[in-house]
Amino acid sequence: ISFSNIFAMAFSAFDYLVAVFGFLRGIFLISIVVFVLSLIGIWLFNFIKKKYNFSWFKAVFLASFLEIFVLTAIVYFFPAYLGYSQQTYGILPPELQPTLIEGMAFIIGLFLRVMIVSIALSIFVLPLEFIASYVFEKLNQKLPHFLRHFVAVFASTLVGGICVFLLFPWIIP
């Protein structure tokens, strides 16, 4: 083994260490956003469970569906709104203008797409919620509630990030 090979191996190990640190830093930043969203989800979960007397599973699924539905609706409807609001570049001839039925069909299609995507994402998020719930319950009860909650969110976000990184690497830009 030559010196250059040892240097290349050490440099490679250092690169891996830096990549793992960068991955954990990214997961930490994403965990902050997920933590804030989970606080809203916990409030929604408690409201649904108290008002409709659902089981834990039904209340968690419905709360995450509603939260994901709102976020997905913003992602899908905002560009459509911008597109319709900026139609001031000129007047289209009457035969090229969208009719009311075409506009309604577009909105209904977007709504159905948001529903399907929200249901699929809610199903994908459910195992991560199980992980967060397990970590939250297993942590020491002496820790502050928010710290236990954040560690649980970080653990589930880490598992989700690893799954995305290993199973769906083409998603990451």
Side-chain angles (χ1 to χ4, degrees), residues 54-139:
F54 282 168
S55 67
W56 183 89
F57 181 78
K58 288 180 184 177
V60 163
F61 183 77
L62 188 59
S64 42
F65 170 76
L66 291 173
E67 199 167 6
I68 290 172
F69 180 79
V70 168
L71 293 172
T72 309
I74 290 170
V75 167
Y76 275 96
F77 283 112
F78 189 68
Y81 167 73
L82 285 179
Y84 275 115
S85 68
Q86 295 182 359
Q87 289 183 350
T88 59
Y89 295 119
I91 298 174
L92 290 173
E95 59 270 2
L96 295 179
Q97 290 180 349
T99 63
L100 180 64
I101 294 175
E102 290 172 342
M104 292 302 290
F106 178 71
I107 291 174
I108 291 170
L110 272 181
F111 182 76
L112 288 175
R113 181 180 293 173
V114 167
M115 289 288 289
I116 292 169
V117 167
S118 298
I119 289 170
L121 287 176
S122 296
I123 291 170
F124 288 141
V125 165
L126 207 53
L128 298 175
E129 291 172 350
F130 288 142
I131 292 170
S133 176
Y134 177 78
V135 170
F136 181 79
E137 292 298 324
K138 289 297 179 182
L139 284 175

